[in-house]
Amino acid sequence: MDFQTSILSRMSGFLYRCRADENYTMLEMTNGIERIFGHPADEIIGNRTRTFTSIMCEEDVPIMDQVVGLALARRTDWTMEYRIRHRDGNFIWVTETGGGVWDENGELLYLEGSIINIESLYQRIDEQTAGMRVTASKTNEILQSLRYLKLLAVNAGIEAARAGTAGSGFAVLAAEMRALANASEEAARAISNAQLKSG
């Protein structure tokens, strides 16, 4: 097996060359399109059975048009993430890096690039953010409890003042409750702010 064939067979995605038209009509595609996404290349090349845009998430097509159009105007490459619908119906996140190819007269010939499956990366990110959302929720619950504790401490202080000398010990306890609640609230807020920044 030659070098390119060997490498392409391990690639979690495919290489392409297409026209710069509304369907991104495929001229050439490597077999990763079928191996990873379930769509035979000969069904998409030349729009024989379906167009490339028909297997993209509809919401992502206008974004692609904008990104590609801007890159072509600047004659730079583009990199973007979007979703491809697998043959079984589920969407897979991919990252595409592509660019235009021009002839010696400056006429755009076609687009070409690579499309790589990054679904596992998105799943890991989603799992991590899910954990952060749970932690943030718990932090908010702690803050609510601390506000209640502060309210209790204030009320305890009022009752201790009403009791005069007899309530002096209770006043000390109320002050300690307030100090604990304030310190704990500051710590909880610091954790919450750190989560927001990292998110």
Side-chain angles (χ1 to χ4, degrees):
M1 183 180 292
D2 66 88
F3 171 72
Q4 290 185 356
T5 302
S6 178
I7 294 297
L8 289 173
S9 68
R10 303 174 195 276
M11 183 179 175
S12 185
F14 61 95
L15 306 180
Y16 71 87
R17 178 173 285 176
C18 71
R19 298 190 189 284
D21 58 20
E22 63 178 347
N23 293 315
Y24 299 101
T25 301
M26 289 293 166
L27 302 172
E28 297 181 51
M29 306 174 82
T30 57
N31 65 5
I33 183 66
E34 182 170 11
R35 182 165 42 83
I36 307 299
F37 304 97
H39 300 284
D42 60 7
E43 291 185 0
I44 301 175
I45 292 175
N47 303 328
R48 291 192 185 107
T49 303
R50 57 182 53 85
T51 64
F52 181 71
T53 51
S54 74
I55 68 170
M56 288 180 60
C57 177
E58 292 180 2
E59 298 173 3
D60 298 339
V61 175
I63 300 171
M64 169 176 271
D65 293 341
Q66 183 178 8
V67 170
V68 172
L70 184 60
L72 291 177
R74 295 176 175 175
R75 293 209 174 194
T76 60
D77 292 343
W78 64 82
T79 298
M80 66 172 294
E81 286 75 46
Y82 58 92
R83 291 158 288 181
I84 288 180
R85 184 185 291 105
H86 191 278
R87 195 178 187 89
D88 65 13
N90 66 296
F91 283 112
I92 296 174
W93 277 100
V94 300
T95 182
E96 174 179 331
T97 300
V101 178
W102 287 264
D103 66 15
E104 56 191 18
N105 297 318
E107 293 293 323
L108 181 63
L109 297 175
Y110 39 75
L111 314 177
E112 61 183 18
S114 64
I115 296 175
I116 306 296
N117 175 4
I118 56 169
E119 181 64 23
S120 60
L121 173 62
Y122 266 74
Q123 288 177 351
R124 286 198 299 272
I125 291 173
D126 189 59
E127 289 169 1
Q128 290 172 356
T129 55
M132 291 172 63
R133 287 194 295 270
V134 170
T135 303
S137 174
K138 291 180 178 178
T139 303
N140 287 332
E141 291 175 8
I142 292 169
L143 287 170
Q144 290 292 339
S145 298
L146 290 172
R147 290 190 191 102
Y148 181 64
L149 178 61
K150 286 169 71 176
L151 182 61
L152 288 177
V154 170
N155 289 334
I158 293 171
E159 292 301 320
R162 286 177 180 171
T165 306
S168 59
F170 202 53
V172 172
L173 177 60
E176 290 180 353
M177 286 172 63
R178 280 197 300 273
L180 175 62
N182 287 332
S184 299
E185 186 175 29
E186 288 179 12
R189 287 190 185 282
I191 293 170
S192 182
N193 291 335
Q195 289 170 346
L196 289 174
K197 290 178 181 178
S198 63

